[in-house]
Amino acid sequence: MTPQELKAFCLEFNASVEEFPFGPETSVFKVLGKMFALSTLDARPLTVNLKCDPDDAVRLREEYAAIAPGWHMNKRHWNTVTVSGVPRRLLRELIEDSYDLVVAGLPRAERLRLDRA
């Protein structure tokens, strides 16, 4: 997945936006003000920080060398994924799971508005 494809996929989700709270080089993808993905899109190798269920996070780290505890994040809930080191389908699933985990923490009315009850 290229940086442009990563950005486009993150922005496909309902109410997702790209912001730059940490400076112009770091894209932060949010849903209703809550971060679900973070990436320096011009970095090599390309990596993305994604929220993850803690049990799944441990399993994924054991299974894939390209998945590590979240860099500068709560390592229990975030993984850093080297994009080129995981299958494209898995990367898309991890991004969607991250979005869904963040949405699940939103108030019910906001979840319903996003059509993600």
Side-chain angles (χ1 to χ4, degrees):
M1 184 176 285
T2 67
Q4 296 78 15
E5 291 170 330
L6 175 65
K7 176 180 176 174
F9 186 68
C10 288
L11 292 173
E12 285 181 13
F13 298 101
N14 291 342
S16 65
V17 297
E18 179 184 27
E19 296 181 356
F20 301 90
F22 306 119
E25 67 283 342
T26 305
S27 295
V28 177
F29 298 95
K30 295 181 175 184
V31 55
L32 300 180
K34 303 290 184 183
M35 179 172 54
F36 70 92
L38 178 142
S39 180
T40 301
L41 295 173
D42 61 356
R44 298 297 176 260
L46 178 61
T47 62
V48 60
N49 284 8
L50 300 168
K51 191 163 186 148
C52 191
D53 172 80
D55 294 330
D56 289 339
V58 171
R59 179 186 55 78
L60 287 163
R61 292 171 196 163
E62 291 172 352
E63 191 171 339
Y64 295 94
I67 300 179
W71 178 253
H72 288 294
M73 307 293 279
N74 179 327
K75 303 203 182 328
R76 178 169 156 75
H77 295 277
W78 289 84
N79 280 335
T80 297
V81 180
T82 301
V83 171
S84 62
V86 296
R88 183 181 183 94
R89 179 177 170 190
L90 174 63
L91 180 61
R92 293 174 67 90
E93 289 172 3
L94 293 173
I95 294 168
E96 185 171 5
D97 288 350
S98 181
Y99 175 88
D100 287 343
L101 281 169
V102 171
V103 168
L106 296 172
R108 184 175 186 274
E110 290 180 348
R111 290 195 315 269
L112 291 173
R113 195 177 87 211
L114 292 171
D115 195 28
R116 291 266 198 191

